[in-house]
Amino acid sequence: MASKTSNNTGRYLYAIVAASETHNYGTIGMDDSAVYTISEGGVSAVVSNVPNQKMRPERRHLAAHQAVLRRLMKEITPLPMSFGIIAEGDKAITRILSANQEVFLKELRRVADKVEMGLRVTWDVPNIFEYFIQTHPELRTARDRCFGTHREPSHEEKLEVGRMFERMLNEDREAYTEKVEQILSEYCFEIKLNKSSKEREVMNLACLVGRKAQSQFEEGVFEAAKLFDNSFAFDYNGPWTPHNFVHIELAL
Protein backbone atom coordinates (compact mmCIF):
# COMPACT_ATOMS: atom_id res chain seq x y z
CA MET A 1 0.00 0.00 0.00
CA ALA A 2 3.06 2.23 0.37
CA SER A 3 4.08 4.60 -2.44
CA LYS A 4 6.10 7.82 -2.73
CA THR A 5 4.69 11.17 -1.68
CA SER A 6 6.00 14.67 -2.19
CA ASN A 7 7.57 14.83 1.27
CA ASN A 8 8.75 11.22 1.05
CA THR A 9 6.97 10.20 4.24
CA GLY A 10 4.17 7.76 4.88
CA ARG A 11 1.78 7.14 7.74
CA TYR A 12 2.44 4.02 9.75
CA LEU A 13 -0.85 2.57 11.00
CA TYR A 14 -0.85 1.11 14.52
CA ALA A 15 -4.54 0.84 15.40
CA ILE A 16 -8.08 2.12 14.96
CA VAL A 17 -9.90 3.73 17.88
CA ALA A 18 -13.40 5.07 18.47
CA ALA A 19 -12.85 8.83 18.51
CA SER A 20 -13.55 11.86 16.37
CA GLU A 21 -11.08 14.34 17.84
CA THR A 22 -7.32 14.61 17.31
CA HIS A 23 -5.11 13.16 20.01
CA ASN A 24 -1.33 13.18 20.47
CA TYR A 25 0.44 10.40 22.37
CA GLY A 26 4.01 11.69 22.35
CA THR A 27 7.18 10.39 20.69
CA ILE A 28 6.59 6.69 21.31
CA GLY A 29 6.38 5.48 17.70
CA MET A 30 8.81 4.05 15.15
CA ASP A 31 12.28 5.54 15.67
CA ASP A 32 10.87 7.80 18.40
CA SER A 33 8.39 9.42 16.03
CA ALA A 34 5.35 11.31 17.30
CA VAL A 35 2.17 9.24 17.47
CA TYR A 36 -1.14 10.99 16.76
CA THR A 37 -4.60 10.38 15.34
CA ILE A 38 -6.26 11.13 12.02
CA SER A 39 -10.05 11.16 12.26
CA GLU A 40 -12.91 10.52 9.88
CA GLY A 41 -16.50 10.13 11.04
CA GLY A 42 -16.62 8.30 14.36
CA VAL A 43 -13.26 6.56 14.10
CA SER A 44 -9.60 7.55 14.19
CA ALA A 45 -6.40 5.98 12.95
CA VAL A 46 -3.43 5.99 15.32
CA VAL A 47 -0.38 6.75 13.17
CA SER A 48 3.13 8.17 13.04
CA ASN A 49 5.21 9.56 10.17
CA VAL A 50 7.76 7.16 8.71
CA PRO A 51 9.90 6.94 5.57
CA ASN A 52 7.40 5.73 2.99
CA GLN A 53 8.88 2.30 2.41
CA LYS A 54 8.45 -1.26 3.60
CA MET A 55 8.96 -1.55 7.36
CA ARG A 56 11.35 -4.35 8.31
CA PRO A 57 10.16 -6.58 11.19
CA GLU A 58 13.24 -5.79 13.27
CA ARG A 59 13.07 -6.14 17.03
CA ARG A 60 13.08 -2.37 17.61
CA HIS A 61 10.22 -1.86 15.15
CA LEU A 62 8.15 -4.67 16.62
CA ALA A 63 8.81 -3.30 20.10
CA ALA A 64 7.69 0.19 19.05
CA HIS A 65 4.50 -1.20 17.50
CA GLN A 66 3.66 -3.06 20.71
CA ALA A 67 4.57 -0.07 22.89
CA VAL A 68 1.98 2.08 21.12
CA LEU A 69 -0.69 -0.60 21.56
CA ARG A 70 0.15 -0.90 25.27
CA ARG A 71 -0.18 2.86 25.64
CA LEU A 72 -3.62 2.78 24.01
CA MET A 73 -4.71 -0.13 26.20
CA LYS A 74 -4.28 2.00 29.31
CA GLU A 75 -7.36 3.97 28.31
CA ILE A 76 -9.33 2.07 25.67
CA THR A 77 -9.43 -1.15 23.67
CA PRO A 78 -8.23 -0.39 20.13
CA LEU A 79 -8.50 -2.46 16.98
CA PRO A 80 -4.85 -3.51 16.53
CA MET A 81 -3.53 -3.44 12.98
CA SER A 82 -1.05 -5.95 11.61
CA PHE A 83 2.61 -4.93 11.67
CA GLY A 84 3.91 -3.07 8.64
CA ILE A 85 0.91 -1.20 7.21
CA ILE A 86 2.05 2.10 5.69
CA ALA A 87 -0.29 4.50 3.88
CA GLU A 88 0.99 7.18 1.50
CA GLY A 89 -0.29 10.12 3.56
CA ASP A 90 -3.16 11.69 5.48
CA LYS A 91 -5.56 11.45 2.53
CA ALA A 92 -4.85 7.73 2.14
CA ILE A 93 -5.57 7.17 5.84
CA THR A 94 -8.81 9.16 5.52
CA ARG A 95 -9.86 6.98 2.59
CA ILE A 96 -9.19 3.83 4.65
CA LEU A 97 -11.28 5.18 7.52
CA SER A 98 -14.12 6.14 5.20
CA ALA A 99 -14.16 2.87 3.23
CA ASN A 100 -14.07 0.71 6.39
CA GLN A 101 -16.16 2.93 8.71
CA GLU A 102 -19.01 0.46 9.32
CA VAL A 103 -16.70 -2.50 9.87
CA PHE A 104 -14.48 -0.54 12.25
CA LEU A 105 -17.44 0.70 14.30
CA LYS A 106 -18.95 -2.79 14.50
CA GLU A 107 -15.68 -4.34 15.68
CA LEU A 108 -14.99 -1.51 18.12
CA ARG A 109 -18.39 -2.07 19.73
CA ARG A 110 -17.67 -5.81 19.95
CA VAL A 111 -14.36 -5.41 21.81
CA ALA A 112 -15.22 -2.28 23.80
CA ASP A 113 -14.13 -2.54 27.46
CA LYS A 114 -12.60 -5.96 26.79
CA VAL A 115 -9.03 -7.28 26.74
CA GLU A 116 -7.35 -10.42 25.49
CA MET A 117 -5.90 -12.87 28.02
CA GLY A 118 -3.79 -15.87 27.04
CA LEU A 119 -3.64 -19.29 28.66
CA ARG A 120 -1.05 -21.89 27.75
CA VAL A 121 -1.12 -25.37 29.31
CA THR A 122 1.80 -27.76 28.83
CA TRP A 123 2.82 -31.24 29.91
CA ASP A 124 5.51 -30.53 32.53
CA VAL A 125 7.30 -33.88 32.24
CA PRO A 126 10.91 -34.85 31.32
CA ASN A 127 9.89 -37.03 28.36
CA ILE A 128 6.45 -36.70 26.83
CA PHE A 129 6.58 -40.08 25.03
CA GLU A 130 7.61 -41.93 28.21
CA TYR A 131 4.86 -40.11 30.10
CA PHE A 132 2.28 -41.41 27.62
CA ILE A 133 3.79 -44.89 27.86
CA GLN A 134 3.17 -44.81 31.61
CA THR A 135 -0.33 -43.36 31.40
CA HIS A 136 -1.69 -45.18 28.31
CA PRO A 137 -1.54 -49.01 28.60
CA GLU A 138 -2.52 -49.45 24.93
CA LEU A 139 0.52 -47.46 23.80
CA ARG A 140 2.78 -49.30 26.23
CA THR A 141 1.60 -52.66 24.86
CA ALA A 142 2.24 -51.50 21.28
CA ARG A 143 5.71 -50.22 22.22
CA ASP A 144 6.62 -53.49 23.95
CA ARG A 145 5.33 -55.55 21.05
CA CYS A 146 7.38 -53.49 18.62
CA PHE A 147 10.64 -53.04 20.53
CA GLY A 148 10.51 -55.85 23.11
CA THR A 149 11.38 -58.65 20.72
CA HIS A 150 14.82 -59.93 19.79
CA ARG A 151 14.44 -58.72 16.23
CA GLU A 152 14.77 -55.27 14.73
CA PRO A 153 11.26 -53.79 14.27
CA SER A 154 10.30 -52.84 10.74
CA HIS A 155 9.98 -49.25 9.61
CA GLU A 156 6.20 -49.65 9.34
CA GLU A 157 5.97 -50.99 12.92
CA LYS A 158 7.87 -47.95 14.20
CA LEU A 159 5.57 -45.67 12.22
CA GLU A 160 2.52 -47.40 13.67
CA VAL A 161 3.69 -46.76 17.25
CA GLY A 162 4.39 -43.14 16.30
CA ARG A 163 0.94 -42.72 14.77
CA MET A 164 -0.68 -44.21 17.87
CA PHE A 165 1.24 -41.78 20.09
CA GLU A 166 0.21 -38.84 17.89
CA ARG A 167 -3.43 -39.91 17.94
CA MET A 168 -3.47 -40.22 21.73
CA LEU A 169 -1.67 -36.90 22.08
CA ASN A 170 -4.38 -35.13 20.07
CA GLU A 171 -7.23 -36.99 21.78
CA ASP A 172 -5.93 -35.93 25.19
CA ARG A 173 -5.49 -32.34 23.99
CA GLU A 174 -9.11 -32.24 22.84
CA ALA A 175 -10.43 -33.77 26.07
CA TYR A 176 -8.40 -31.49 28.35
CA THR A 177 -9.22 -28.39 26.28
CA GLU A 178 -12.93 -29.15 26.50
CA LYS A 179 -12.69 -29.34 30.31
CA VAL A 180 -10.85 -26.03 30.58
CA GLU A 181 -13.08 -24.21 28.09
CA GLN A 182 -16.17 -25.39 29.95
CA ILE A 183 -14.94 -23.64 33.09
CA LEU A 184 -13.49 -20.52 31.44
CA SER A 185 -16.58 -19.93 29.27
CA GLU A 186 -18.26 -18.47 32.36
CA TYR A 187 -15.56 -15.79 32.54
CA CYS A 188 -15.05 -15.02 28.83
CA PHE A 189 -17.04 -13.45 26.02
CA GLU A 190 -15.16 -15.54 23.46
CA ILE A 191 -12.46 -18.23 23.49
CA LYS A 192 -10.21 -19.08 20.57
CA LEU A 193 -8.07 -22.22 20.41
CA ASN A 194 -4.76 -21.52 18.68
CA LYS A 195 -2.83 -24.33 17.04
CA SER A 196 -0.29 -25.97 19.34
CA SER A 197 3.25 -25.17 18.22
CA LYS A 198 5.11 -27.65 20.44
CA GLU A 199 4.64 -31.33 21.21
CA ARG A 200 4.41 -30.69 24.95
CA GLU A 201 1.70 -28.05 24.50
CA VAL A 202 -1.74 -29.19 25.63
CA MET A 203 -3.58 -26.04 24.64
CA ASN A 204 -3.01 -22.40 23.72
CA LEU A 205 -6.13 -20.35 24.37
CA ALA A 206 -6.90 -16.71 23.61
CA CYS A 207 -9.72 -15.38 25.79
CA LEU A 208 -11.73 -12.20 25.33
CA VAL A 209 -12.39 -10.93 28.86
CA GLY A 210 -14.07 -7.88 30.34
CA ARG A 211 -11.51 -5.21 31.23
CA LYS A 212 -12.80 -5.14 34.82
CA ALA A 213 -13.16 -8.94 35.05
CA GLN A 214 -9.50 -9.94 34.83
CA SER A 215 -9.35 -11.08 38.46
CA GLN A 216 -12.40 -13.29 37.93
CA PHE A 217 -10.71 -14.78 34.87
CA GLU A 218 -7.66 -15.60 36.99
CA GLU A 219 -9.94 -17.33 39.49
CA GLY A 220 -11.33 -19.38 36.61
CA VAL A 221 -7.81 -20.41 35.58
CA PHE A 222 -7.07 -21.57 39.14
CA GLU A 223 -10.37 -23.45 39.21
CA ALA A 224 -9.50 -25.24 35.95
CA ALA A 225 -5.97 -26.02 37.16
CA LYS A 226 -7.41 -27.99 40.08
CA LEU A 227 -8.59 -30.61 37.58
CA PHE A 228 -4.97 -31.41 36.67
CA ASP A 229 -2.08 -32.99 38.56
CA ASN A 230 1.54 -31.85 38.78
CA SER A 231 2.28 -33.24 35.31
CA PHE A 232 0.72 -30.09 33.86
CA ALA A 233 1.80 -26.44 33.97
CA PHE A 234 -0.62 -23.50 33.61
CA ASP A 235 0.69 -20.16 32.37
CA TYR A 236 -1.68 -17.24 31.79
CA ASN A 237 -0.71 -13.81 30.51
CA GLY A 238 -2.14 -10.45 29.49
CA PRO A 239 -3.90 -8.14 29.18
CA TRP A 240 -3.27 -7.63 25.47
CA THR A 241 -5.04 -5.92 22.61
CA PRO A 242 -7.53 -8.39 21.08
CA HIS A 243 -5.30 -9.56 18.20
CA ASN A 244 -6.89 -13.00 18.04
CA PHE A 245 -10.41 -11.57 17.87
CA VAL A 246 -9.97 -8.82 15.29
CA HIS A 247 -9.59 -9.88 11.66
CA ILE A 248 -10.24 -7.05 9.22
CA GLU A 249 -9.40 -7.06 5.54
CA LEU A 250 -8.99 -3.39 4.77
CA ALA A 251 -11.05 -2.02 1.87
CA LEU A 252 -8.81 0.46 0.06
Side-chain angles (χ1 to χ4, degrees), residues 35 63 94 141 212:
V35 175
T94 300
T141 298
K212 296 181 180 180

Side-chain angles (χ1 to χ4, degrees), residues 156-199:
E156 181 57 36
E157 287 174 325
K158 293 179 181 178
L159 287 177
E160 181 59 32
V161 172
R163 284 192 291 263
M164 182 179 293
F165 167 61
E166 190 70 22
R167 172 175 60 80
M168 292 180 173
L169 193 71
N170 290 326
E171 288 176 348
D172 280 12
R173 281 176 177 149
E174 290 179 6
Y176 293 142
T177 299
E178 184 177 351
K179 289 182 179 180
V180 171
E181 286 185 334
Q182 187 174 3
I183 292 176
L184 292 186
S185 62
E186 298 183 17
Y187 304 91
C188 306
F189 289 95
E190 296 179 43
I191 298 176
K192 179 182 177 182
L193 174 62
N194 293 313
K195 184 177 180 180
S196 295
S197 60
K198 298 180 180 179
E199 192 174 60

Side-chain angles (χ1 to χ4, degrees), residues 12-181:
Y12 185 90
L13 179 57
Y14 299 93
I16 303 296
V17 297
S20 56
E21 66 278 354
T22 301
H23 193 98
N24 294 305
Y25 294 96
T27 54
I28 61 173
M30 298 292 174
D31 298 321
D32 298 321
S33 58
V35 175
Y36 60 98
T37 59
I38 298 174
S39 301
E40 175 67 21
V43 296
S44 295
V46 180
V47 304
S48 66
N49 296 356
V50 293
N52 202 3
Q53 57 190 12
K54 184 176 180 180
M55 185 67 64
R56 290 179 174 273
E58 300 174 4
R59 181 176 298 179
R60 63 192 178 95
H61 292 152
L62 294 168
H65 185 100
Q66 292 302 320
V68 172
L69 295 180
R70 284 196 300 272
R71 170 65 180 83
L72 296 173
M73 281 291 291
K74 291 181 179 180
E75 301 173 3
I76 56 175
T77 300
L79 298 182
M81 295 292 103
S82 300
F83 176 85
I85 298 177
I86 301 175
E88 61 184 8
D90 289 3
K91 290 183 178 179
I93 289 291
T94 300
R95 286 195 298 270
I96 291 173
L97 294 176
S98 179
N100 298 275
Q101 186 91 187
E102 291 185 10
V103 174
F104 287 157
L105 288 171
K106 179 181 178 181
E107 289 298 290
L108 283 165
R109 286 192 294 268
R110 189 169 68 84
V111 301
D113 296 321
K114 302 179 182 71
V115 298
E116 180 175 318
M117 300 293 292
L119 173 62
R120 191 183 302 270
V121 181
T122 56
W123 278 287
D124 189 17
V125 294
N127 186 304
I128 185 65
F129 181 75
E130 286 300 322
Y131 171 78
F132 267 68
I133 288 293
Q134 298 302 318
T135 56
H136 295 71
E138 181 184 354
L139 181 62
R140 183 166 61 249
T141 298
R143 190 278 309 266
D144 293 344
R145 184 169 60 248
C146 180
F147 296 97
T149 62
H150 296 292
R151 64 177 178 80
E152 177 68 20
S154 67
H155 179 65
E156 181 57 36
E157 287 174 325
K158 293 179 181 178
L159 287 177
E160 181 59 32
V161 172
R163 284 192 291 263
M164 182 179 293
F165 167 61
E166 190 70 22
R167 172 175 60 80
M168 292 180 173
L169 193 71
N170 290 326
E171 288 176 348
D172 280 12
R173 281 176 177 149
E174 290 179 6
Y176 293 142
T177 299
E178 184 177 351
K179 289 182 179 180
V180 171
E181 286 185 334

